[in-house]
Amino acid sequence: MASSELAVARIAAFGELGVKDLASLEQMAAPVRQLGRGKTIRHEGDPEPKMYLLLSGWTESSMLLPSGERQSIKVHLPGDLLGMPGLAMRYAPDTIRALTEVQVTTIEPRYIGGLFKTNPRIAAMLFLVSQEERVFLMDRLASVGRTGSLNRIAALIAQLSIRIGRQDRKPADSYFAPLTQSQIGDMTGMTAIHVNRTLHKLELANICIWRNRTVTIIDRIRLQELAGFPSRELAVDHSWLCDAC
Amino acid sequence: MASSELAVARIAAFGELGVKDLASLEQMAAPVRQLGRGKTIRHEGDPEPKMYLLLSGWTESSMLLPSGERQSIKVHLPGDLLGMPGLAMRYAPDTIRALTEVQVTTIEPRYIGGLFKTNPRIAAMLFLVSQEERVFLMDRLASVGRTGSLNRIAALIAQLSIRIGRQDRKPADSYFAPLTQSQIGDMTGMTAIHVNRTLHKLELANICIWRNRTVTIIDRIRLQELAGFPSRELAVDHSWLCDAC
DNA sequence: CGACTTCTTGAGGAGACTCAAGGGTGGTGG
DNA sequence: CCACCACCCTTGAGTCTCCTCAAGAAGTCG
């Protein structure tokens, strides 16, 4: 798999990967699947949920409420592992959809199990990625639970800027974001209409512009102020991990 | 540590524990710490976050927003592992406080690392518990993001009923819940005042009563309807895990 | 070019928040 | 043992954010 360097980006944040590690990872990857925008990778409620590795494009994980409304849990960027939370469940908790043309590979749960025996180092890294995701969800929960519309949208924009700019080691000041206003609403827990008005407010205040699927950040300071989430730093000292492997 | 049977309840949900497994777990437990209600176990922002095992009592994990408001992430019951998400971070993302008199033991991260080498089975179970927690957070996010006050409070009450009744294998119809209305507000993303009014509505509608730190569920059907979250079932087929160990 | 999705704008209403004040309860110290 | 204090609960009135309903414009894809 040629894109393996890209694909392990998330894991590699927690340590250097050796030859053996890369081999472990490549072995898991099933043939690449290609899907068009709007296609569903797996449905909420499907039995025996699997994991997926996103090679290119954007996907979104979301849950349906009895009222018929959707809550988007997270958008995924290339290199992200999709569907991990489902491993603990009998039925898939979330729906995973392609937001753009995407390439994904399926990862069978048994490979993950095998990893714990054959390559504890990688297993521990997967564990750490899971903890990182938990913190991400905690931040989202705080944002959606306790802040207003301007703050939530600002938080979304700032967060995406950081995630997209991760490869370059600095936040992206302008980036492509293939989300409709309705989808932004699903992510932030607001109406598409209110998203529209809020985006206009942000633009009017000269903070940022989101138009034509493109985000441009004008005033990062004030954006960050509005967003109001702390800039998280990953743990640097992995001696406790390395002792083990 | 005499309470280890209790303490590992969460992990045991994913598989039987052998003698070796129990030994692995006991070895990690540092001396027991006892703290009074309101005492802080660790602060948001503290460097080198550790993990804790809750032996008795209730604790709460929460995050502070720039506005000064608090968002409660989760309340913990005996047997829960506290602070796991922080393992991936340089600074603790959340504050952990005692809601009642509690007993906790600290778990050094290096023991977790060691687990991945010496007892991959337990490591995998910790991994699964983490995924379960992610699903829990996803459900919370959907609840807070897209539903009204009645639904949120109903969801909280129903969820606690399930968690507390887990040992008895059926939801508890009446239980002790040491949360003030202000804390309920922090959990559900609403004002203490509005919590008060909403609780009265639930009582007036003959659905449930929350008074004097005691919850009594009168009409579980309608409570569940209001709560509106799916009843999650943990994965039963762990062949993919057992293959490894 | 036509059908569909997405975006935009307006008007009105509902739910949740703020501010304010009073009453209950439990714990502590004199 | 009682008085006090801190915390918690309760209720009312007014305000604001965000939602709903509605309709039209703009963009996109076949």
Side-chain angles (χ1 to χ4, degrees), chain B residues 180-181 196-197 200 213:
Chain B
T180 68
Q181 293 182 352
N196 183 282
R197 297 193 222 266
H200 282 282
R213 316 273 130 114

Side-chain angles (χ1 to χ4, degrees), chain B residues 57-152:
Chain B
W58 287 39
T59 59
E60 178 204 46
S61 146
S62 68
M63 295 176 34
L64 214 56
L65 286 117
S67 61
E69 291 179 298
R70 274 175 0 109
Q71 172 69 43
S72 175
I73 306 300
K74 175 165 193 172
V75 297
H76 308 280
L77 306 185
D80 280 349
L81 289 160
L82 322 181
M84 235 197 287
L87 290 185
M89 297 290 149
R90 187 159 181 178
Y91 305 104
D94 55 349
T95 296
I96 305 178
R97 271 189 332 159
L99 292 174
T100 65
E101 189 89 359
V102 298
Q103 290 182 308
V104 294
T105 69
T106 304
I107 296 177
E108 294 291 332
R110 67 171 177 279
Y111 286 119
I112 302 296
L115 226 47
F116 278 81
K117 191 164 82 174
T118 61
N119 196 334
R121 181 181 154 80
I122 295 290
M125 286 181 180
L126 275 185
F127 176 79
L128 286 179
V129 169
S130 299
Q131 307 315 323
E132 189 189 350
E133 291 297 329
R134 282 173 73 178
V135 175
F136 177 86
L137 279 171
M138 287 158 63
D139 282 331
R140 292 280 318 280
L141 184 61
S143 171
V144 169
R146 300 252 88 153
T147 74
S149 57
L150 275 172
N151 307 280
R152 289 190 221 174

Side-chain angles (χ1 to χ4, degrees), chain A residues 52-225:
Chain A
Y52 308 87
L53 176 59
L54 182 57
L55 298 174
S56 71
W58 288 39
T59 60
E60 177 204 46
S61 146
S62 68
M63 293 173 42
L64 213 56
L65 285 118
S67 62
E69 290 179 299
R70 274 176 358 110
Q71 172 69 43
S72 175
I73 306 300
K74 174 165 195 173
V75 297
H76 308 279
L77 307 185
D80 280 349
L81 289 161
L82 321 182
M84 235 195 288
L87 289 186
M89 297 290 149
R90 187 160 180 177
Y91 304 104
D94 56 348
T95 297
I96 305 178
R97 271 190 333 158
L99 292 173
T100 64
E101 188 89 358
V102 298
Q103 290 182 309
V104 294
T105 69
T106 304
I107 296 176
E108 295 292 333
R110 67 171 178 280
Y111 285 119
I112 302 295
L115 224 48
F116 278 82
K117 191 165 81 173
T118 61
N119 196 334
R121 181 181 156 80
I122 295 290
M125 287 181 180
L126 275 184
F127 175 80
L128 286 179
V129 169
S130 300
Q131 307 315 323
E132 189 189 349
E133 291 296 327
R134 282 172 75 178
V135 175
F136 177 85
L137 278 171
M138 288 158 64
D139 282 330
R140 290 281 317 280
L141 184 61
S143 172
V144 169
R146 300 253 88 155
T147 74
S149 58
L150 274 172
N151 307 280
R152 289 191 222 174
I153 302 252
L156 172 65
I157 292 174
Q159 188 82 65
L160 280 176
S161 156
I162 291 171
R163 289 176 60 197
I164 289 171
R166 208 173 246 195
Q167 276 114 351
D168 308 341
R169 305 213 178 280
K170 68 168 173 43
D173 283 327
S174 181
Y175 57 88
F176 171 73
L179 302 169
T180 68
Q181 292 182 352
S182 173
Q183 288 165 338
I184 298 172
D186 288 337
M187 303 197 61
T188 51
M190 36 197 288
T191 311
I193 296 176
H194 202 57
V195 168
N196 184 282
R197 297 193 221 266
T198 307
L199 286 178
H200 282 281
K201 264 190 204 168
L202 285 171
E203 185 168 339
L204 216 67
N206 264 308
I207 294 177
C208 61
I209 303 174
W210 190 332
R211 213 188 270 168
N212 289 334
R213 316 272 129 113
T214 305
V215 176
T216 309
I217 297 172
I218 301 171
D219 189 335
R220 180 170 296 277
I221 310 289
R222 281 198 295 155
L223 181 73
Q224 200 66 42
E225 263 174 33

Side-chain angles (χ1 to χ4, degrees), chain B residues 161-174:
Chain B
S161 156
I162 292 170
R163 289 177 61 199
I164 289 171
R166 206 173 247 193
Q167 277 114 350
D168 308 341
R169 304 215 177 279
K170 67 168 173 45
D173 284 329
S174 180

